[in-house]
Amino acid sequence: MTWTSAPTVRIALLDDHAVVRYGLAGRLSEEPDFQVVGMFATSREMMAALRVTPADLLLIDYSLGSNDIDGLNLIRALKVRFPDSKILVSSSHYNPATVALAMKAGARGFVGKSQELTELIQAIRTVSLGRVHLNNAMAAELSSMLSTEAAEGAPGDEPVSDSLAESNELSPREREVLRCCLDGMTVTQIGEKFARSVKTISGQKQSAFRKLGVRNDSELFKIQHQLKDL
């Protein structure tokens, strides 16, 4: 019987922590069908290198340095510029809202950094074959969250939240709310400013947070440099 080896998967790594980059590269290089073709600390370095040395799979962290493009914007940019490369996210931001948005933006898989390396290796093989990778627990959480999102809403009032099945683009009112939040206004003050209920403003704020992949005001302020066009 003739044994045929699996095709080599060319992998490019992006993580702003050197220990993580070198640790992952060392472990992945032990797999006979993996070839790490590049390790990068910034998205700019990765994109420049990919124009010269393409990769089959881009293993990226969701959250990078404060002056770097990351998150949904990075996933979208990589998908547009390198459509032949499949995107796999590995991040400590491992919650259903962030995972759902990352997948909708173009990622083919998402692995939490708290998971075992065997999970990541399995994800790389699955995604490299053109399939989607999410572990069973996360897939179940996503399904539950989307069902809840679809059921929410206040009769006679504006929707409390937008379904993740809809567009990721911020609505004009969500942009208004975020601008006010970044100016230091509370939900009550924003409601008074626009003559909307606190419930409506809170819903619009949380919907915007989900679309941006942030969980609280502190995380919003960390990415405010990416929100100059609000």
Side-chain angles (χ1 to χ4, degrees):
M1 181 175 68
T2 302
W3 179 81
T4 304
S5 62
T8 299
V9 181
R10 296 169 300 172
I11 303 167
L13 301 174
L14 172 61
D15 196 295
D16 58 337
H17 295 93
V19 171
V20 175
R21 285 197 308 277
Y22 284 94
L24 281 176
R27 176 61 184 90
L28 297 182
S29 296
E30 295 175 2
E31 298 298 314
D33 54 331
F34 290 175
Q35 179 187 5
V36 177
V37 297
M39 299 183 298
F40 310 101
T42 69
S43 60
R44 179 176 296 181
E45 292 173 353
M46 171 179 261
M47 292 184 191
L50 288 173
R51 296 187 187 99
V52 179
T53 306
D56 303 308
L57 185 138
L58 311 179
L59 178 57
I60 66 171
D61 191 1
Y62 189 84
S63 179
L64 302 173
S66 60
N67 296 319
D68 201 354
I69 178 176
D70 60 7
L72 302 179
N73 290 332
L74 174 59
I75 293 170
R76 292 181 184 125
L78 290 172
K79 184 174 174 61
V80 169
R81 298 183 192 186
F82 309 100
D84 295 331
S85 300
K86 299 174 180 67
I87 301 170
L88 173 61
V89 180
S90 176
S91 178
S92 56
H93 293 278
Y94 194 57
N95 58 76
T98 300
V99 173
L101 292 172
M103 300 296 284
K104 188 171 178 62
R108 299 293 293 171
F110 204 117
V111 177
K113 284 190 173 179
S114 62
Q115 294 176 262
E116 297 293 333
L117 274 173
T118 52
E119 175 85 16
L120 179 62
I121 291 169
Q122 178 187 345
I124 291 173
R125 292 201 169 100
T126 300
V127 171
S128 69
L129 293 173
R131 299 198 294 264
V132 170
H133 177 90
L134 287 175
N135 70 20
N136 292 335
M138 178 55 70
E141 286 190 68
L142 283 180
S143 178
S144 175
M145 183 187 68
L146 291 173
S147 297
T148 301
E149 287 281 326
E152 284 183 354
D157 199 358
E158 298 175 46
V160 174
S161 62
D162 297 322
S163 170
L164 286 174
E166 301 299 327
S167 170
N168 282 333
E169 295 302 318
L170 294 170
S171 71
R173 292 195 171 186
E174 288 168 351
R175 290 175 183 273
E176 287 177 343
V177 171
L178 287 184
R179 281 198 295 267
C180 292
C181 288
L182 290 171
D183 286 338
M185 295 177 66
T186 66
V187 169
T188 300
Q189 290 171 330
I190 298 170
E192 292 173 352
K193 176 180 175 68
F194 295 112
R196 295 179 219 155
S197 69
V198 171
K199 181 179 179 181
T200 294
I201 296 297
S202 179
Q204 291 166 341
K205 179 179 178 179
Q206 292 306 313
S207 176
F209 276 16
R210 283 191 293 271
K211 292 178 181 181
L212 293 172
V214 300
R215 294 169 294 181
N216 50 48
D217 288 349
S218 177
E219 291 187 0
L220 176 67
F221 279 97
K222 288 180 181 179
I223 64 165
Q224 63 179 315
H225 63 283
Q226 297 180 15
L227 305 175
K228 295 176 181 178
D229 296 331
L230 279 177

